[in-house]
Amino acid sequence: MDPSLNPYSPGSGRRPPELVGRTGELEAFDTLVARTRNRLSDRGIVLTGLRGVGKTVLLNEMHAHADRFEWLTVRLEARRDEAGAAAVRRALARDLVAAARKLTRRSVGARMRQALETISAFNATIGATGISLGVDLANGRADSGDPEVDLLELVEDVSLALAEDGRAFGLFIDEMQDLDQITMGALIAAQHLAGQRGWPFYVIGAGLPNLPRVLTETRSYAERLFNYRPIGQLPPGEAARALVEPAERLGAGFAADGLDTILEAAGGYPYFLQEYGQAIWNLAPAKTFTADDAAAAVQFGLEHLDAAFFRSRWERATPAERRVLLAMAQDHDAPSQTSDVARRVGLKITSLGPYRANLMAKGLIYSPEHGQVAYTVPGMAAFVDRHRDDLDRA
Ligand SMILES: Nc1ncnc2c1ncn2[C@@H]1O[C@H](COP(=O)(O)OP(=O)(O)O)[C@@H](O)[C@H]1O
Ligand SMILES: [Mg+2]
């Protein structure tokens, strides 16, 4: 089939041609927006799951929905490296100013004017971006230099101004597990106070499966602040829809056995469905995709996944860190006990620590529970097994 018409969308954060299986999450957010319009408060939402399950896509959908209802929104992506904390705060301040600029296009009341001043002050203190909103700096609001104090004042002023007409202040944060402790603590405190006071301020976060634990370790009450939504594999019916609907819209379709082959290979993972969907479209000679087409697509798609999705991650690891990744494959995709991994690579647990920390910083592994590590991408153990010989040498 013509590749220039290929509807499938493998790739980080790319909107799929058919967004399936996420009705519950989308409805939860619709309800939050509707409650805000009714001047009722709610909890923030936290989406968690492995890489490739569709968290970023979902976060973007929610963000777009909030924008349609004229929320003041900022979208951030946390980073774990040393410069990350400053970068995130700068991005927050900068994007706030940009979002506030849009608001100034409509006529603003006294409260909103005060909120804009607070945003300006926050930007000058925390962001230091030098971008101006063209309003005076608020006197003594969001200008202490303490991120927690300033964020609270910002949230109060901005959300109360928006509350007047049933809108909210929404912070959409991707890779939230990588937020620095100070910013994370400040955001949780702000969400907590907003909930108590009924201010329409919501943190909508997405991150790895350990994000709920990271949040509660930062502030124990974080457990009750968010609607936690684990995102995972799609059930077979939904996975089939993700493949079939886009093809049918373009006059193509799957033979039943062809579809089964692809579904089996993808194991319900959205990223893999898009990758195999793309492959079968490009490889199929006619508009009904057969079992033969599917077999070829699985082979081709897997090679492509190995080269792009898996190998790019693998190559971020140093030779010593790769030994740790190899040792984890014995547990397949289930979490490994850190003590087992240490034993397998012949290190004391304490000596394993730095490798573990680096692999976490690189986003290759995460810690589902204390004393455990797991791969962040589904299918990593099988990748390691497919390439064990050449990975061992590399
Ligand atoms: N609900 C869905 N249905 C079908 N495909 C999806 C769905 N969600 C995401 N995808 C596809 O999966 C891939 C990964 O999505 P992404 O949001 O980047 O995942 P994550 O942020 O969890 O790593 C993309 O190619 C995207 O098009
Ligand atoms: Mg993502």
Side-chain angles (χ1 to χ4, degrees):
M1 302 289 284
D2 182 353
S4 73
L5 296 175
N6 196 320
Y8 300 100
S9 62
S12 176
R14 284 183 66 195
R15 195 182 192 289
E18 188 75 23
L19 182 74
V20 303
R22 306 298 184 220
T23 322
E25 286 69 33
L26 292 169
E27 277 176 6
F29 191 70
D30 285 0
T31 304
L32 174 60
V33 171
R35 286 180 62 82
T36 303
R37 291 176 53 145
N38 292 334
R39 318 293 200 266
L40 294 168
S41 69
D42 206 334
R43 290 178 297 173
I45 297 178
V46 168
L47 309 167
T48 63
L50 296 175
R51 302 203 181 281
V53 295
K55 303 178 296 296
T56 299
V57 160
L58 207 44
L59 192 70
N60 291 345
E61 287 296 307
M62 292 176 176
H63 185 187
H65 187 67
D67 276 345
R68 278 194 295 277
F69 284 83
E70 300 190 297
W71 282 26
L72 190 148
T73 61
V74 173
R75 188 188 183 291
L76 301 170
E77 185 171 319
R79 286 178 16 195
R80 211 182 169 100
D81 53 279
E82 269 168 47
V88 155
R89 284 181 220 157
R90 239 188 345 263
L92 170 60
R94 187 191 53 222
D95 292 359
L96 256 174
V97 170
R101 278 235 166 109
K102 279 197 234 159
L103 292 183
T104 56
R105 286 198 210 119
R106 33 200 275 172
S107 67
V108 293
R111 251 218 146 108
M112 186 54 81
R113 175 122 209 117
Q114 155 80 39
L116 292 175
E117 290 174 16
T118 309
I119 291 174
S120 271
F122 184 82
N123 180 42
T125 323
I126 297 289
T129 59
I131 316 168
S132 151
L133 243 186
V135 295
D136 297 337
L137 299 195
N139 242 346
R141 294 296 281 173
D143 63 359
S144 76
D146 176 333
E148 184 154 333
V149 172
D150 291 351
L151 188 77
L152 279 178
E153 290 180 351
L154 174 80
V155 164
E156 176 173 11
D157 292 358
V158 173
S159 60
L160 281 176
L162 292 163
E164 290 188 333
D165 37 24
R167 298 182 294 149
F169 176 15
L171 271 186
F172 297 79
I173 308 176
D174 207 356
E175 305 292 350
M176 194 173 175
Q177 75 284 338
D178 288 340
L179 266 188
D180 66 282
Q181 279 295 299
I182 293 177
T183 309
M184 174 103 68
L187 286 175
I188 300 171
Q191 184 68 86
H192 187 47
L193 199 64
Q196 288 174 345
R197 306 268 166 90
W199 304 334
F201 165 72
Y202 297 106
V203 172
I204 312 295
L208 291 172
N210 64 334
L211 175 55
R213 186 162 67 83
V214 173
L215 286 165
T216 39
E217 280 173 4
T218 306
R219 294 281 195 281
S220 59
Y221 56 75
E223 203 177 354
R224 302 182 301 275
L225 289 185
F226 298 101
N227 177 359
Y228 290 97
R229 311 284 311 206
I231 309 295
Q233 287 140 286
L234 296 164
E238 296 296 321
R241 278 211 315 121
L243 289 168
V244 171
E245 301 272 333
E248 286 186 346
R249 275 202 294 272
L250 295 169
F254 286 76
D257 47 1
L259 182 61
D260 286 345
T261 303
I262 303 264
L263 289 178
E264 160 106 28
Y269 283 107
Y271 195 109
F272 301 163
L273 286 166
Q274 299 303 331
E275 189 78 55
Y276 293 132
Q278 184 178 62
I280 201 165
W281 179 281
N282 288 346
L283 291 169
K287 59 185 192 316
T288 301
F289 305 160
T290 64
D292 280 349
D293 297 337
V298 168
Q299 198 188 345
F300 185 86
L302 192 59
E303 276 167 27
H304 203 252
L305 281 171
D306 279 2
F309 190 69
F310 293 116
R311 196 171 287 272
S312 66
R313 298 210 148 70
W314 179 264
E315 281 171 356
R316 281 184 226 157
T318 64
E321 289 159 14
R322 290 174 187 176
R323 283 177 53 218
V324 175
L325 295 175
L326 281 166
M328 287 169 61
Q330 275 191 37
D331 300 305
H332 308 287
D333 274 346
S336 303
Q337 299 299 324
T338 315
S339 52
D340 291 342
V341 176
R343 189 171 33 74
R344 288 173 199 158
V345 297
L347 286 175
K348 292 205 177 98
I349 289 207
T350 45
S351 320
L352 184 70
Y355 299 115
R356 179 179 169 277
N358 285 335
L359 285 167
M360 286 176 68
K362 291 176 181 175
L364 289 161
I365 66 171
Y366 72 102
S367 172
E369 298 285 341
H370 279 292
Q372 290 185 342
V373 285
Y375 299 122
T376 56
V377 291
M380 189 74 178
F383 165 78
V384 166
D385 283 336
R386 279 197 293 281
H387 299 278
R388 191 170 278 279
D389 290 343
D390 92 271
L391 296 177
D392 245 339
R393 266 183 275 111

